[in-house]
């Protein structure tokens, strides 16, 4: 069966510090991968998606970047965190385009 | 105005009651998703539908493409159904899109 992992589960970082959140998927190959953010009081927002290694599409201009160094690994990064980067970050995968999304457990990020 | 509107924002019910959560959207779509987010933050995909009706256990989802409206029904509600229910749509775009647009969610509390 397929599983999706995210770490860390919770992170508290100072403003201006770097960020690296990792997402890995097991039990499938060539998944489509997604990063979402859920800010307090707001709906989920798609940040990045990837249909293959090294292929990243950005949905919104922001302080964050994403990379996919391996087939089942998706990384969300920032060089300098802002207060507004605080939120709940979710990784998700699908088998193909426009199919059911399976979400990871999420990472709560608090930038102080 | 958000492209996806859910109502009500909050809903409290007694165990056993029939629950209806509504979702209206303003753009043409290729699919609509209903998601369930538990208090810990984890998200589970309940349904993906593009027409008609789907049923899974005590959950029923319907969609009316012409009216741009979907409903999620829960029969014989139980305290374990307490969660935030999120509606998300995939807008129609030329060539297809990976982007989902999310509602802000409906927080359901079922009391014993």
């Amino acid at each position: 069966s397929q599983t999706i992992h995210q770490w860390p589960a919770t992170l508290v970082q100072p403003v201006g510090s770097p960020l690296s959140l990792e997402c890995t998927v097991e039990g499938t190959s060539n998944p489509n991968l997604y990063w979402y953010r859920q800010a307090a009081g707001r709906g989920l927002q798609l940040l990045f998606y990837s249909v293959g290694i090294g292929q990243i599409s950005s949905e919104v201009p922001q302080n964050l970047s994403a990379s996919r160094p391996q087939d089942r690994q998706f990384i969300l990064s920032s060089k300098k965190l802002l207060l507004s980067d605080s939120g709940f970050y979710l990784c998700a995968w699908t088998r193909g385009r426009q199919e059911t999304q399976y979400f990871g457990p999420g990472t709560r990020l608090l930038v102080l | 105005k958000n492209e996806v509107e859910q109502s009500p924002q909050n809903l409290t019910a007694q165990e056993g009651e029939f629950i209806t959560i509504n979702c209206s959207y303003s753009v043409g779509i290729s699919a609509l998703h209903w998601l369930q987010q538990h208090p810990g933050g984890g998200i589970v995909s309940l349904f993906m539908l593009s027409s008609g009706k789907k049923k899974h256990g005590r959950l029923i989802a319907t969609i009316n493409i012409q009216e741009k409206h979907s409903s999620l029904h829960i029969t014989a509600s139980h305290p374990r159904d307490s969660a935030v229910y999120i509606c998300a749509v995939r807008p129609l775009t030329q060539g297809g899109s990976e982007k989902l647009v999310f509602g802000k969610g409906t927080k359901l509390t079922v009391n014993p």
Side-chain angles (χ1 to χ4, degrees):
Chain A
S1 64
Q2 298 85 18
T3 54
I4 178 169
H5 304 279
Q6 283 186 248
W7 62 89
T10 306
L11 192 58
V12 180
Q13 291 285 99
V15 168
S17 63
L19 173 74
S20 181
L21 302 182
E22 190 163 340
C23 169
T24 59
V25 180
E26 294 178 358
T28 188
S29 59
N30 198 31
N32 286 3
L33 295 170
Y34 307 82
W35 276 113
Y36 292 96
R37 176 170 58 203
Q38 188 176 39
R42 292 185 160 191
L44 281 157
Q45 182 183 39
L46 178 64
L47 302 175
F48 301 95
Y49 71 88
S50 172
V51 298
I53 295 174
Q55 300 178 60
I56 309 294
S57 296
S58 174
E59 286 294 318
V60 293
Q62 60 205 308
N63 182 42
L64 302 168
S65 61
S67 62
R68 185 169 177 176
Q70 299 180 46
D71 181 45
R72 288 170 289 178
Q73 184 185 33
F74 205 21
I75 297 172
L76 185 69
S77 304
S78 173
K79 291 182 180 176
K80 287 186 178 181
L81 283 168
L82 306 172
L83 286 173
S84 57
D85 292 324
S86 294
F88 188 52
Y89 288 82
L90 286 148
C91 181
W93 72 275
T94 65
R95 283 191 178 86
R97 296 191 68 190
Q98 305 188 18
E99 293 194 17
T100 297
Q101 301 215 352
Y102 300 94
F103 288 84
T107 295
R108 293 200 183 278
L109 171 66
L110 179 60
V111 182
L112 299 175
Chain B
K1 188 177 188 293
N2 202 24
E3 288 178 292
V4 180
E5 296 282 352
Q6 288 186 235
S7 63
Q9 282 187 303
N10 293 282
L11 181 56
T12 300
Q14 288 300 123
E15 184 172 356
E17 286 185 1
F18 181 81
I19 304 291
T20 295
I21 298 171
N22 296 298
C23 175
S24 296
Y25 52 93
S26 56
V27 297
I29 67 169
S30 58
L32 181 143
H33 297 250
W34 280 104
L35 310 169
Q36 181 190 53
Q37 185 169 29
H38 289 281
I43 292 180
V44 174
S45 180
L46 299 175
F47 296 103
M48 182 176 71
L49 64 165
S50 54
S51 65
K53 177 169 126 175
K54 286 191 176 180
K55 184 176 189 292
H56 186 255
R58 295 181 293 106
L59 300 177
I60 303 166
T62 63
I63 188 169
N64 185 318
I65 294 292
Q66 288 73 31
E67 294 186 4
K68 294 186 169 62
H69 181 269
S70 175
S71 293
L72 177 69
H73 305 285
I74 305 175
T75 61
S77 60
H78 191 275
R80 65 174 174 265
D81 297 326
S82 298
V84 175
Y85 292 84
I86 300 170
C87 173
V89 301
R90 189 182 305 281
L92 275 171
T93 59
Q94 199 168 15
S97 169
E98 298 301 315
K99 182 177 180 177
L100 288 179
V101 179
F102 295 81
K104 292 184 179 180
T106 295
K107 185 176 180 180
L108 171 65
T109 303
V110 182
N111 294 317

